[in-house]
Amino acid sequence: MSKDSLFIVIEGLDGSGKTSVSRQLANVLDYSFKGKIKLTFEPHDPSCSGLFIRQVLMKRIRNFTPRILALAFATNRLDHCDREITPWLEGGKDRIVICDRYYLSSLVYQHSPDFSFESVMFLNEMARKPDIIFFISVSDRVCYERMKIRNQPKELFEKNLAETRKKYADAIDFLKTKNNDQIIEIDGSGTVGEVVEKILEVIYAYDQKWKPQQPIISSTLIPHVFSLNGATILSIEDVVREFTKANMYHELISSEKDNIFNEFNKLGEEISLRIESMSFNELGSLFLDYISKLGYKVGNKLPWTHLDCYELEYILPGEILQRGAALLINENQRYDVIMQKAPELFEMSDFMFVFSPGPSELVTHYYERDKTQYLNTKKDNEVATSLFPSTQLVTQEDISDFVLKSLISKLIESNSDVFKDDTGVKEHLLHFTHRL
């Protein structure tokens, strides 16, 4: 019997490619189940336990016991289930959650000779059980090579992979025999696309309802990247012009006033579809233009980072200058990714806008401010500490809503003479923009 939802977990050694696989799997499934896929990960950042865990993993907190860490992970997981996983799966039909790490990782990393698998699972007994757990299996050599390519500081558990692999084997056997979990090992030595295709075959065999009616185009398996190189190729005004036509105002207003919101909702859906079809460079251009429309001055592309990152300035009352950055990263944002990139911004720590492409359901919106370290070029590259930038995520949905607001504003401005006799319609339109 088919289920209305599917809870998938992706596990693997550090460097196995599980995060890239999770992201691409979400993109592919979203192609067939638009807006019904949620990509998430653990530790789940928006909680005090999540922040504590991040500090431990980044070796900023060194005085802890395995039991304390296991309790932190279990608390974090229950919060994750209550706040995101369960509400999403039970919020409608045909919904899927893809989680990067879950309680299999806790068994591997938190158990010890005096803290058994049973003890770890006791802490996690209220966690929602996944439908399928995929373990991405690659050799130690491949894992080390991939971690080397990251060029990032190693986290706490990114060592002794041979020993960790043995722990995974024992933990998988425990979950299969004691907890009746369905765990599938997937060869992860191929490309991300090849690994995703293997996972999809298992999902389709598990339940045919998840198999797409139409073949998935191969481009969905190709990673998207930004390559603006300082150039912008599209503006908000360009998109507004695409949806502006002669007599548009009169056509919309000629319908019954009770239906005016429905007409603009339909227009909003058309704009959303147009933006979904754009390349990453077009989206990146709209992101920068959107920020400028909010009153921020967009400066030059920062030269020292391989990312598309731009200087920002904002003038507060009293001529107080704040500096920040606009960051474009070709993946749905995670706290740890942004934490690793923030030090590259040097002393520009006031604020940061991050563009997260893809469906808004795949985005984590909440980030705690923390301390971060950077090289102070003004003092012979001394290591300095500052408050982590105030971070705001911008999604495609934010840009779509802003385009629709801009279109309505243009209609009001270009038909000001009509509004003299029909101010009620103008009030309706302004009220509608406030709802966006």
Side-chain angles (χ1 to χ4, degrees):
M1 182 177 178
S2 293
K3 295 179 59 178
D4 287 337
S5 62
L6 184 64
F7 181 20
I8 297 169
V9 169
I10 308 293
E11 291 274 6
L13 295 165
D14 291 304
S16 63
K18 58 180 177 52
T19 299
S20 297
V21 167
S22 300
R23 186 165 60 249
Q24 289 295 358
L25 179 63
N27 288 336
V28 173
L29 289 172
D30 187 70
Y31 180 78
S32 300
F33 300 93
K34 182 65 66 177
K36 297 185 177 182
I37 313 301
K38 185 171 190 63
L39 176 62
T40 187
F41 55 92
E42 291 197 351
H44 174 58
D45 293 319
S47 70
C48 292
S49 56
L51 295 174
F52 170 77
I53 292 167
R54 287 292 179 203
Q55 297 291 322
V56 170
L57 294 179
M58 297 174 72
K59 302 177 184 177
R60 294 183 178 180
I61 295 177
R62 298 178 181 272
N63 186 18
F64 64 92
T65 65
R67 293 191 181 198
I68 292 297
L69 191 58
L71 183 59
F73 269 98
T75 303
N76 182 257
R77 184 164 295 120
L78 292 179
D79 176 75
H80 191 191
C81 288
D82 288 347
R83 197 191 301 218
E84 289 202 18
I85 294 175
T86 296
W88 181 260
L89 292 174
E90 297 181 357
K93 287 188 175 182
D94 301 336
R95 292 195 167 194
I96 300 177
V97 166
I98 301 169
C99 188
D100 180 349
R101 291 199 185 280
Y102 203 57
Y103 54 54
L104 174 56
S105 287
S106 283
L107 288 175
V108 172
Y109 295 113
Q110 274 81 65
H111 98 280
S112 63
D114 60 346
F115 198 66
S116 65
F117 283 155
E118 287 83 0
S119 298
V120 175
M121 283 307 295
F122 175 76
L123 296 178
N124 288 274
E125 63 179 351
M126 300 301 293
R128 189 180 184 113
K129 187 175 181 178
D131 294 299
I132 311 176
I133 300 173
F134 291 99
F135 177 72
I136 310 300
S137 178
V138 296
S139 68
D140 294 350
R141 178 183 59 82
V142 172
C143 287
Y144 282 123
E145 287 177 351
R146 289 175 177 173
M147 285 191 287
K148 186 177 180 181
I149 291 172
R150 290 180 192 169
N151 194 29
Q152 296 170 354
K154 288 185 178 181
E155 290 188 347
L156 180 65
F157 300 118
E158 292 180 352
K159 56 185 179 179
N160 299 327
L161 292 185
E163 179 183 343
T164 304
R165 183 184 302 279
K166 174 64 168 58
K167 291 180 179 179
Y168 262 110
D170 293 341
I172 288 172
D173 182 65
F174 173 84
L175 286 179
K176 284 182 175 181
T177 57
K178 301 293 186 180
N179 207 46
N180 199 30
D181 283 88
Q182 180 164 337
I183 305 176
I184 308 295
E185 184 172 324
I186 298 291
D187 181 5
S189 59
T191 65
V192 172
E194 290 170 344
V195 176
V196 168
E197 287 177 345
K198 293 174 183 176
I199 291 176
L200 289 171
E201 290 176 3
V202 175
I203 293 173
Y204 301 157
Y206 174 80
D207 192 335
Q208 285 289 311
K209 76 170 291 180
W210 305 113
K211 192 169 185 176
Q213 299 300 314
Q214 300 293 331
I216 296 175
I217 56 176
S218 59
S219 63
T220 58
L221 298 176
I222 301 174
H224 301 287
V225 295
F226 290 104
S227 56
L228 289 175
N229 295 321
T232 55
I233 58 178
L234 195 66
S235 68
I236 299 292
E237 287 80 2
D238 292 332
V239 183
V240 169
R241 278 193 291 270
E242 289 183 32
F243 287 88
T244 303
K245 57 184 180 180
N247 299 320
M248 183 178 187
Y249 170 83
H250 298 284
E251 290 178 15
L252 289 169
I253 302 306
S254 63
S255 62
E256 295 182 14
K257 289 183 181 179
D258 291 341
N259 294 328
I260 190 170
F261 289 167
N262 292 333
E263 294 298 324
F264 276 101
N265 279 326
K266 291 178 183 177
L267 189 58
E269 291 174 1
E270 293 177 14
I271 292 172
S272 295
L273 290 173
R274 170 69 180 96
I275 288 178
E276 285 179 12
S277 70
M278 292 180 179
S279 69
F280 267 34
N281 282 348
E282 289 175 320
L283 290 172
S285 296
L286 289 183
F287 165 63
L288 295 177
D289 192 39
Y290 169 79
I291 291 174
S292 68
K293 294 292 191 298
L294 296 180
Y296 295 84
K297 181 180 178 181
V298 180
N300 296 323
K301 183 175 184 293
L302 301 176
W304 62 79
T305 173
H306 67 284
L307 301 169
D308 275 295
C309 188
Y310 294 80
E311 293 179 301
L312 293 179
E313 291 184 355
Y314 190 81
I315 306 298
L316 294 172
E319 299 299 314
I320 299 174
L321 174 65
Q322 283 198 316
R323 301 178 66 205
L327 187 62
L328 298 88
I329 302 180
N330 59 315
E331 62 182 315
N332 298 298
Q333 288 316 304
R334 296 168 49 144
Y335 180 83
D336 53 336
V337 175
I338 298 178
M339 278 288 292
Q340 291 161 358
K341 300 304 176 185
E344 297 181 18
L345 303 180
F346 290 29
E347 49 265 64
M348 294 193 310
S349 58
D350 291 324
F351 60 87
M352 180 164 58
F353 284 91
V354 180
F355 179 61
S356 183
S360 59
E361 293 84 5
L362 306 186
V363 175
T364 298
H365 290 272
Y366 177 83
Y367 293 90
E368 284 281 0
R369 297 197 75 181
D370 192 5
K371 291 189 294 185
T372 188
Q373 293 182 329
Y374 64 91
L375 294 178
N376 190 337
T377 55
K378 298 177 181 178
K379 294 185 178 180
D380 299 322
N381 287 336
E382 290 182 1
V383 176
T385 300
S386 68
L387 190 63
F388 186 76
S390 176
T391 303
Q392 179 174 335
L393 288 173
V394 176
T395 66
Q396 291 176 201
E397 184 177 341
D398 294 323
I399 294 176
S400 297
D401 287 346
F402 192 82
V403 170
L404 182 57
K405 288 181 182 179
S406 300
L407 179 57
I408 293 174
S409 297
K410 183 174 181 179
L411 289 174
I412 292 175
E413 181 181 352
S414 59
N415 293 276
S416 57
D417 57 327
V418 180
F419 283 122
K420 292 179 181 179
D421 302 321
D422 201 346
T423 56
V425 173
K426 180 178 179 180
E427 291 176 359
H428 277 340
L429 290 176
L430 293 175
H431 177 68
F432 181 79
T433 61
H434 290 154
R435 289 169 48 190
L436 293 175

